[in-house]
Amino acid sequence: MKRAITPGTFDPITYGHLDIITRAAQLMDEVVVAVAASPKKNPLFSLDERVELVRSSTAHLPNVTVEGFDGLLVDFAKETGANVIIKGLRAVTDFEYEFQMAALNYEMSRDLETVFIMSPPQYMYLSSSIVRELASLHGDIDRFVTPDVARALNRKFA
Ligand code: COA
């Protein structure tokens, strides 16, 4: 049984994240989306709200579950019984940071592999902060997030 985690802050989940989660679910038996508390990022949505939005956005994927966590990713992976971390790479600018995180996590847990999936061109530029900014300026976000997430964003910025 191959179980992977796809970690992130998901503030909020976008179609870019969903693309990576969907492809991870095709490669693995089980995928646990790990929603980090990330208090330092001062998220717009609470952890519970982010978990709920990821759940509703991934409800159609039978082998995907969603959990929130606070603490080290390697500890969460161990608790979950996952031995693979799957992350998306959007551009060269992501690489250095991701390389550092993957090396650090490997150092802390030698049986945990990090695997990268390339984001497709249409999502290369997408990020949660761009979507939050667009929503705050009442721009059209329907192309970037699911209807549930769009509603939640519009409520925040109403
Ligand atoms: N599609 C769209 N956007 C994407 C994306 C994709 N495929 N992949 C990343 N992004 C964006 C996010 O939307 C986010 O955008 P924003 O900053 O503009 O809001 C940005 O990339 C960063 O993503 P984030 O989800 O915050 O992930 P991260 O790469 O910074 O790492 C954790 C998040 C949870 C994996 C990491 O902080 C972690 O492991 N935390 C636990 C503590 C720990 O173990 N730390 C490491 C050792 S000290």
Side-chain angles (χ1 to χ4, degrees):
M1 169 80 75
K2 284 270 171 222
R3 181 179 294 148
I5 52 177
T6 54
T9 305
F10 302 105
D11 187 36
I13 183 168
T14 68
Y15 281 139
H17 294 123
L18 205 49
D19 173 80
I20 302 295
I21 295 166
T22 304
R23 287 156 70 195
Q26 284 160 0
L27 290 172
M28 308 295 292
D29 297 315
E30 276 182 26
V31 171
V32 180
V33 183
V35 183
S38 300
K40 279 192 191 152
K41 290 200 167 179
N42 206 8
L44 173 68
F45 290 98
S46 71
L47 180 57
D48 285 349
E49 288 174 322
R50 285 179 278 135
V51 166
E52 213 31 66
L53 290 173
V54 178
R55 279 205 182 117
S56 80
S57 303
T58 56
H60 59 292
L61 300 169
N63 58 339
V64 173
T65 54
V66 186
E67 284 184 46
F69 79 102
D70 202 353
L72 281 180
L73 184 62
V74 290
D75 291 340
F76 180 77
K78 222 168 278 170
E79 279 165 32
T80 318
N83 45 15
V84 181
I85 297 172
I86 296 185
K87 294 211 74 179
L89 266 188
R90 287 166 302 170
V92 186
T93 43
D94 278 350
F95 181 77
E96 203 165 305
Y97 172 72
E98 293 296 347
F99 180 77
Q100 191 183 10
M101 295 272 275
L104 194 70
N105 286 333
Y106 181 70
E107 215 29 62
M108 290 191 282
S109 178
R110 289 290 165 110
D111 47 12
L112 193 55
E113 287 294 348
T114 302
V115 173
F116 293 102
I117 294 180
M118 293 297 296
S119 282
Q122 73 265 36
Y123 299 134
M124 287 266 175
Y125 60 89
L126 194 52
S127 73
S128 298
S129 53
I130 280 185
V131 170
R132 289 195 303 272
E133 181 163 355
L134 257 179
S136 75
L137 300 169
H138 306 290
D140 180 12
I141 49 173
D142 294 349
R143 269 171 300 159
F144 308 124
V145 294
T146 62
D148 278 356
V149 175
R151 269 191 296 275
L153 276 165
N154 289 331
R155 268 197 305 271
K156 287 272 180 204
F157 295 111

